[in-house]
Amino acid sequence: MNHETPFGNFMSTDTSKFVSMLLRLPLINRLGFAQKPREFVRFLKFATVGAFGMVVDLSVLTASREWLKLSLPLSVGLGFTVAVISNFTWNRLWTFPESRQRPLGNQLFQFVLINVIGLGINELVVLGLHPVFARVLHDPPAYIAAKIIAIGIVLFWNYFVNRKWTYRGID
């Protein structure tokens, strides 16, 4: 049964209560989501797609590094690239379905450009933190820990810049 919630018909009442609770957190207020609860739900969808992308990214990274014996920078870049393709597809289909009315090529170009900058941020964080983690952990846990932190940082970059450019004008 689908009930009308403050977020429209697309959320169950239980989910709506959970999101309402999250909207009261100070960090969420600082990001401006408290005034735009539907936008917060969109951010959660973007983050969910990103979490799936993280699994794709880490799987490709680990396989490239451990099985194919590629260098760490190349493995990081390869994992990130495969994840970007996955994330673009799922964000276009689920997070921002209205964006499918726009030309695919332009939108993909914008998304990729933003993510290339994100890749630079990602590489800097991973390569900067890897030696720190490697002092107490062996690989692969050391580079995976660095990668998870990088993904968290790049999530915010990707969402806010894509929202302002790639998905601008979508309510």
Side-chain angles (χ1 to χ4, degrees):
M1 178 173 3
N2 196 4
H3 300 284
E4 183 68 32
T5 70
F7 307 100
N9 273 336
F10 66 96
M11 289 181 64
S12 71
T13 303
D14 290 339
T15 305
S16 176
K17 288 177 186 175
F18 176 71
V19 170
S20 293
M21 180 198 67
L22 290 176
L23 286 170
R24 290 192 290 272
L25 296 173
L27 175 62
I28 304 304
N29 280 312
R30 287 196 184 122
L31 293 173
F33 286 126
Q35 297 78 23
K36 300 176 183 175
R38 289 183 68 111
E39 189 65 23
F40 182 61
V41 171
R42 210 180 278 274
F43 173 77
L44 291 176
K45 287 181 172 184
F46 191 89
T48 300
V49 168
F52 178 73
M54 181 178 76
V55 171
V56 170
D57 191 341
L58 293 175
S59 298
V60 172
L61 165 65
T62 303
S64 299
R65 185 84 172 128
E66 301 303 317
W67 296 341
L68 300 177
K69 304 297 184 198
L70 299 177
S71 70
L72 182 58
L74 183 58
S75 297
V76 167
L78 187 58
F80 193 83
T81 301
V82 174
V84 165
I85 293 166
S86 171
N87 288 356
F88 175 76
T89 302
W90 287 111
N91 279 316
R92 187 170 165 91
L93 293 173
W94 185 52
T95 310
F96 297 98
E98 307 89 338
S99 73
R100 288 182 277 171
Q101 303 304 317
R102 297 181 179 175
L104 176 69
N106 292 343
Q107 196 175 51
L108 179 60
F109 172 78
Q110 291 171 313
F111 194 85
V112 168
L113 183 60
I114 290 165
N115 280 278
V116 166
I117 296 168
L119 173 60
I121 297 166
N122 192 291
E123 291 269 357
L124 288 173
V125 173
V126 171
L127 298 176
L129 289 178
H130 178 250
V132 174
F133 289 124
R135 290 184 196 136
V136 292
L137 299 169
H138 297 289
D139 280 338
Y143 65 75
I144 289 175
K147 181 67 175 178
I148 289 170
I149 291 170
I151 289 168
I153 292 168
V154 173
L155 164 69
F156 288 96
W157 160 262
N158 282 344
Y159 180 76
F160 287 109
V161 177
N162 271 303
R163 188 64 176 112
K164 293 294 182 191
W165 190 34
T166 310
Y167 302 114
R168 74 178 173 273
I170 294 174
D171 290 334

